[in-house]
Amino acid sequence: MGQGNSENENKKRNEEVAQKQTEALQEKATEKKVAVQNQFAGLTKRNEDYMFRLNRVLEERDFPAEKRTAAIQEMTTELLEKQRQGVIAAKYYGTVTERAQEIIAGPKKVYTPPAFWKIALDNGLMIFTLFCAMYAVLNQFSVKGGQTNNGILTLLVTSAFAGTGMAYFYRVTGQRRSGGKKMPFWRVILVSLAFMLLWVAIYTLIAQVPFLNQGLSVFAYAVLAVLAFGLRYLLKKKLDIPARPF
């Protein structure tokens, strides 16, 4: 009999403890809900619901509390101003899931095009590599076995000029794609033609200069091609030159 009373008392005590814990959790949830509602005070019902769900998603994904609070506060302040113009959070920020992902991922890095001289150098080395490789092949399979009359001076000058011209062309086309200051298409065509003619003229004139401009051997051209290719590869990494410059 005494044992039965003891079991009942323990059961009753456990029920009371469980009830108090439940009440405490409910009270905590209510306080949290009130705090969140106060945080979104002034928002329209739809915007308030959006922010409430966004806050919950960020919390479920274990996004740091300090960063979450800062992001939510910033958005709330912005919405308080924007909603006067009829802005709805779901249309302005996208879905709750999309916005949460953007906040977690952090702000997108603004792409800054590389300096003009970097692109000119990169393209100049590319042209130099291609010409050296081409001359090596031409000399190797030449029927007469002679050497092309294009030495170091011709290669350096024409490669530098071509690299600069290509960098300018990339910058102009990049501005057209990004919506910046656009050069008329007809002018782009004329400039490109003028560049090609000037390049051919410089190439022809420099090839006539005898000093430092004698044809090289197949081996020399091949070595220069490999060295220029390696240097371009290293500079791309070191100077952070992208494959698509502009």
Side-chain angles (χ1 to χ4, degrees), residues 29-100:
T30 302
E31 291 176 353
K32 184 177 180 180
K33 186 176 181 180
V34 171
V36 171
Q37 289 176 342
N38 291 335
Q39 184 181 11
F40 303 142
L43 293 178
T44 62
K45 210 64 175 169
R46 295 175 69 178
N47 288 344
E48 180 183 339
D49 177 66
Y50 180 94
M51 294 303 299
F52 180 80
R53 288 186 292 119
L54 176 63
N55 185 70
R56 185 173 58 191
V57 169
L58 291 174
E59 190 174 9
E60 290 173 351
R61 296 190 182 184
D62 295 325
F63 191 61
E66 291 183 3
K67 292 183 178 180
R68 183 177 74 248
T69 301
I72 293 296
Q73 184 59 50
E74 182 180 347
M75 287 179 62
T76 302
T77 302
E78 186 176 26
L79 274 177
L80 286 171
E81 181 66 29
K82 296 287 185 181
Q83 70 181 11
R84 297 175 186 174
Q85 305 166 15
V87 170
I88 300 173
K91 292 183 178 180
Y92 188 71
Y93 294 115
T95 65
V96 170
T97 303
E98 291 172 346
R99 184 57 180 170

Side-chain angles (χ1 to χ4, degrees), residues 17 43 79 85 102 129-130 145 148 206 232:
V17 171
L43 293 178
L79 274 177
Q85 305 166 15
E102 289 177 2
T129 301
L130 291 175
T148 182
I206 296 298
R232 180 172 181 255

Side-chain angles (χ1 to χ4, degrees), residues 186-198:
W186 62 268
R187 187 176 297 177
V188 174
I189 297 298
L190 288 179
V191 170
S192 299
L193 290 174
F195 164 74
M196 292 299 296
L197 291 174
L198 186 58

Side-chain angles (χ1 to χ4, degrees), residues 228-246:
F229 179 84
L231 179 60
R232 180 172 181 255
Y233 177 81
L234 292 176
L235 289 178
K236 264 187 173 295
K237 298 291 185 182
K238 187 175 182 61
L239 300 178
D240 194 24
I241 303 174
R244 184 176 177 177
F246 293 101

Side-chain angles (χ1 to χ4, degrees), residues 104-170:
I104 293 172
K108 295 181 179 179
K109 294 182 178 180
V110 179
Y111 175 71
T112 303
F116 183 85
W117 69 268
K118 292 182 180 180
I119 302 303
L121 176 62
D122 180 63
N123 283 285
L125 286 171
M126 178 184 68
I127 296 297
F128 185 84
T129 301
L130 291 175
F131 268 108
C132 286
M134 182 181 70
Y135 291 154
V137 172
L138 289 177
N139 286 346
Q140 177 66 30
F141 296 100
S142 175
V143 177
K144 296 180 180 181
Q147 294 179 338
T148 182
N149 188 31
N150 293 295
I152 291 297
L153 185 61
T154 302
L155 286 171
L156 290 176
V157 174
T158 55
S159 296
F161 181 79
T164 303
M166 290 177 68
Y168 175 76
F169 180 77
Y170 285 149

